[in-house]
Amino acid sequence: MQTTSSSSPDGDLRSSLIPVVKASDPERQKLCIDDMLQKHCGEFGMWQLKHFVLTSLAWALEAFHTMVMIFADREPAWRCLGPACWAGAGTVCGLEPGSWEWIGGPGSSTVAEWGLVCGQKYKVGLVQSLFFGGCMIGAGIFGHLSDSILGRKGSLTVVCILNAVFGCLTALAPDFWTYALLRLLTGFSTGGVGLCAFVLATEPVGPSHRGVAGMSTFYFFSCGIALLSFVAFIFPSWRSLYIASSIPSILFLVVILPFVSESPRWFLIRGKADKALKIMKNIAKTNGKHLPDGVSLALDEDAGENQNNELPEGQGKEVEAISGSLIDVVRSRLTRVRLFLSVAINFLCSVVYYGLSLNVVNLGTNLYLNVFLNAVAEMPAFLLTAALLDRFGRKPLAIGTLWFSGFFCVVGSLVGGYGKWKVVRMVCGILGIFGMAGTYNLLFIYTVELFPTVVRNAALGCAAQAAQMGAILTPFVVVLGGGLPFAVFGICGVMGGLLAFCLPETLNRPLYDTMGGMEEGENAFRDDA
């Protein structure tokens, strides 16, 4: 009896020091990243805000490299030098050589330097299409690389290096065809900038803030366009403009990227759970929260399982890397339909957005002011769609913004391009940009939520490729002039809205990690509905 009684206190003492782990103990359960952000780390705290701003600055770089063509490839004004020139002529075609000159000199634009007018005017549309063709190729390649070996940050680093190199070399192009080749290469690297920056900026954000954060990335793109109009005004020579628009890429590499973190979701699907958990702990610490020691990360399809029989995090356990490709997207009926719709809508949206942006050269008003106003018009669209995103959902906003833009494009095609009607057409273009900017912004977050992490960048890259395909065709529509471009843009906007009816709503739905996790989650949602 004495032995029994003496061992009882010792047993009580040991039990108080070493608590028994129960299967129901929530601290010993696996959590997916979304759950960990919501319960322990914070969905959008100081860490996410800093990371979001730094990463999204890359969008301004994409705006520089994309929209620089508006100024570098513009047709400058000209003036007569002698009696053989008729000042009332609307074009220099047919005028005697030497009887006129470009205002600003031959170095003011590529058109002036290489005579890309009259029978050579098609080359302007060609070089712009080559740029977007490079973007299409780059979006697909870097979309795959950012999902696989390079990761989000690694891919963003590579494309920024290439952008800086190709952009500076473009300023040294000795002839048109070298210039066209370098613009193709610049497009190749530019195609991966926004893609990688968007995913890298939004993946560490919690589900309740991800929509607004995703919509806000495009403020940086619009600010980049607005800033570019001032840079182009300061550097009137197209060669100096290319240098000036490439230097920010170098600054981003040196000053910004060292403070940007890799996505914990990418680490997780690559089997590097320890590195992913380390980032999550840093997020929690910076946000003033605490991540319990017993909590571990898991993919969404494994989350919630008890881990009593598993090694704790930090002791070298590695999970097998999970990979995916577009083949997996196409095999699944669920994602196959989503991919087709995303591709089609992104294509139509791109035709309208880039078409209205490039069409400012046909409006006959101040080019620098038009580009600035178009960029400013985009910002209220981002604010409005961000404010309404979680109130009405992704699908209604996509349909509404597409049809809004399409309507004003149709109106623009019906009015004249002279006198007061020129101002009306310009307003229609600005309102068209307003609506389509909201759609373009929305489509990124919508596409991100339609596909799981394992194939997210590949699917987003495919949608971006479709958008670039639309952008490739746009310059050839713009060179037609008159009201025809507006008519094409209007039809594309209406068709895009009709296709958006077929997409599912993703409001308040989880951001899935794997194909299996998405199928299980969608099936469960349908059963509950």
Side-chain angles (χ1 to χ4, degrees), residues 284-338:
K285 180 180 179 181
T286 306
N287 291 345
K289 297 181 179 294
H290 174 67
L291 185 63
D293 294 334
V295 177
S296 65
L297 276 174
L299 299 170
D300 46 20
E301 60 185 5
D302 299 326
E305 294 179 3
N306 183 267
Q307 60 176 28
N308 289 339
N309 297 324
E310 301 187 22
L311 291 172
E313 296 292 339
Q315 293 188 8
K317 181 178 178 181
E318 291 291 334
V319 181
E320 182 181 356
I322 298 178
S323 61
S325 66
L326 284 177
I327 297 177
D328 300 309
V329 178
V330 175
R331 283 176 179 171
S332 170
R333 183 180 181 278
L334 176 66
T335 54
R336 180 171 63 245
V337 174
R338 294 182 177 188

Side-chain angles (χ1 to χ4, degrees), residues 192-241:
V193 174
L195 174 73
C196 298
F198 182 85
V199 176
L200 185 58
T202 56
E203 282 193 334
V205 178
S208 65
H209 293 77
R210 191 178 299 123
V212 174
M215 299 288 283
S216 301
T217 59
F218 287 86
Y219 283 109
F220 295 86
F221 186 81
S222 298
C223 288
I225 298 176
L227 181 60
L228 179 64
S229 63
F230 288 102
V231 174
F233 183 79
I234 297 173
F235 297 94
S237 168
W238 72 269
R239 293 184 184 274
S240 61
L241 178 58

Side-chain angles (χ1 to χ4, degrees), residues 23-78:
S24 60
D25 187 354
E27 297 296 324
R28 302 301 299 174
Q29 289 183 339
K30 302 177 182 178
L31 293 176
C32 66
I33 288 181
D34 277 352
D35 288 341
M36 188 172 287
L37 288 171
Q38 290 176 315
K39 295 180 179 179
H40 302 294
C41 301
E43 296 189 64
F44 196 81
M46 186 56 64
W47 190 98
Q48 285 98 336
L49 177 61
K50 173 188 173 183
H51 185 262
F52 174 81
V53 171
L54 293 179
T55 306
S56 297
L57 287 173
W59 279 99
L61 305 180
E62 179 172 348
F64 274 30
H65 290 287
T66 301
M67 297 304 178
V68 67
M69 67 178 69
I70 297 177
F71 303 101
D73 300 335
R74 76 187 190 281
E75 182 176 335
W78 57 276

